[in-house]
Amino acid sequence: MAIQWFPGHMNLTRKAIAERIKDIDVVIEVLDARLPGSSANPLLQELTGHKPRLKVLNKQDVADPARTAQWLDWYNAQSETRAVAIDASEPAPTRRLIEACQLLSPGRGGMAKPMRVLICGVPNVGKSTLINSMSNKGQAKTGDEAGVTKLEQRIVLADDFYLWDTPGMLWPRIAVEQSGYNLAVSGAVGRNAYDEELVALEFLRYAQHNYAANLRERYKLTQTDAEIAAMPDDEMLETIGRKRGAVMTGGRVNVQKAAEIVITDFRIHNLGRITLETPQEYEEWFNKGMELDAIRQAKKDARAKPKKTGIRNRKPSAPAV
């Protein structure tokens, strides 16, 4: 099941970024350190062109540190790009980010040439919390639901450093299927756009093979890591439901409730430090998604072609007399 979510206000954000980018020196893209590839917006790459980019892997304190290091290496190897990992609630991220922007655009700075920065990110990535930590003024609205910020706003971080905040934005078509699931479990997608049971099952399938110990500790499971990895994901979801009391009359597990428990535990960091993708895994998912999308587009183009009638060069009938 492909997960898609691109409400109307996101299209307005796309237009606002396209207009604003002309006057911007550096683009900060805030990523979720637990899904650094899936939370990177390909539409932003298209809109910002060759502007220098600072990739901020936020929520690094709840991500797998070894995988965060892999992602930093992966992004820092890209041209005109720097990457840093932070926890948005840390008391003073401002200096580190300002210095990174100055390295990306060394010709800007001072009152004559103030640094102009655009900060973007998918919904619920912690961008507003980061901005409030940087400005110490609580200027950006925060919340645990996707789509809290609705309007562009300018924030002055220093006399020569201007920051433009934009609403969280996804992209019109999420072609990488696994990215859709990862965005959904992280809270970047509106609730009406996905099936919670399916998202929880996809999350468990991955976690069982990569973070079995986290699941065992959180849900007091008696199985070994190998047994947890081998268990079917639907059986794991039912086991968790029983452990957490999501049981209906007759002893049946309330699967919907169990799914909500699993998703909430991930979002509020009850499952420990988990990262849902490595750079290599993401590249594989991305290439597969592009192949499938090309096939889909080819079929769509074929359906759009006018059908041949099988009658060619037929002369019109002579008029009746």
Side-chain angles (χ1 to χ4, degrees):
M1 181 193 76
I3 294 175
Q4 310 294 342
W5 192 56
F6 194 72
H9 74 272
M10 290 188 183
N11 193 42
L12 295 176
T13 299
R14 172 169 61 178
K15 293 178 180 178
I17 290 175
E19 182 63 28
R20 175 65 59 191
I21 199 63
K22 305 170 190 175
D23 304 318
I24 292 298
D25 302 306
V26 175
V27 176
I28 294 178
E29 183 175 16
V30 183
L31 307 177
D32 189 327
R34 301 168 301 171
L35 43 145
S38 294
S39 58
N41 191 337
L43 180 58
L44 188 61
Q45 177 82 18
E46 175 187 326
L47 291 171
T48 59
H50 296 289
K51 296 286 184 178
R53 292 173 183 80
L54 176 61
K55 303 281 190 178
V56 176
L57 276 63
N58 191 26
K59 306 182 183 181
Q60 64 85 23
D61 56 315
V62 293
D64 183 329
R67 291 189 172 193
T68 296
Q70 293 176 24
W71 277 103
L72 289 174
D73 290 342
W74 192 75
Y75 276 122
N76 280 318
Q78 299 177 11
S79 62
E80 295 186 302
T81 303
R82 290 183 63 83
V84 297
I86 68 168
D87 168 9
S89 64
E90 68 181 68
T94 306
R95 176 47 50 191
R96 203 148 59 99
L97 298 186
I98 288 179
E99 288 174 354
C101 289
Q102 289 170 337
L103 288 172
L104 285 166
S105 185
R108 304 298 302 189
M111 295 302 294
K113 295 181 178 179
M115 181 75 73
R116 301 159 303 181
V117 174
L118 185 73
I119 186 166
C120 311
V122 300
N124 208 30
V125 77
K127 177 171 57 65
S128 295
T129 300
L130 172 61
I131 290 171
N132 289 337
S133 296
M134 294 171 70
S135 64
N136 295 317
K137 294 180 181 179
Q139 299 183 62
K141 293 181 179 179
T142 63
D144 60 0
E145 292 293 329
V148 172
T149 304
K150 297 293 185 183
L151 299 172
E152 181 190 51
Q153 44 188 332
R154 192 185 84 156
I155 298 168
V156 179
L157 296 184
D159 290 341
D160 62 346
F161 197 102
Y162 302 148
L163 183 72
W164 274 269
D165 180 24
T166 57
M169 181 181 69
L170 291 171
W171 48 104
R173 177 173 173 75
I174 301 174
V176 181
E177 185 177 20
Q178 193 61 40
S179 289
Y181 292 123
N182 288 351
L183 288 164
V185 77
S186 74
V189 176
R191 288 182 177 179
N192 61 342
Y194 61 90
D195 181 287
E196 288 163 314
E197 181 182 344
L198 184 55
V199 168
L201 288 171
E202 285 292 326
F203 168 77
L204 286 174
R205 181 188 59 78
Y206 189 87
Q208 285 174 239
H209 288 86
N210 295 276
Y211 296 99
N214 298 56
L215 296 176
R216 187 182 66 251
E217 181 177 348
R218 173 59 182 168
Y219 300 117
K220 309 301 183 212
L221 304 176
T222 58
Q223 294 88 347
T224 65
D225 287 1
E227 290 170 336
I228 290 173
M231 189 181 298
D233 51 14
D234 57 344
E235 184 179 333
M236 174 58 68
L237 184 60
E238 288 203 9
T239 299
I240 291 171
R242 291 190 185 281
K243 289 283 187 178
R244 295 300 302 276
V247 180
M248 300 182 292
T249 303
R252 291 186 300 113
V253 171
N254 185 332
V255 178
Q256 173 65 26
K257 182 63 176 178
E260 292 172 1
I261 289 170
V262 170
I263 291 172
T264 299
D265 277 344
F266 176 73
R267 290 181 182 176
I268 64 175
H269 320 140
N270 283 341
L271 290 169
R273 304 185 72 163
I274 290 178
T275 298
L276 296 177
E277 54 200 31
T278 66
Q280 294 73 28
E281 287 172 336
Y282 179 75
E283 285 187 321
E284 291 176 7
W285 299 340
F286 179 84
N287 292 334
K288 180 180 179 181
M290 293 303 99
E291 291 175 6
L292 294 175
D293 209 45
I295 294 171
R296 180 195 64 83
Q297 187 61 46
K299 290 180 178 179
K300 182 179 178 181
D301 293 342
R303 289 195 299 269
K305 289 182 179 179
K307 294 181 179 180
K308 296 180 180 180
T309 62
I311 303 174
R312 290 185 294 177
N313 301 322
R314 179 177 179 179
K315 295 181 180 181
S317 302
V321 295

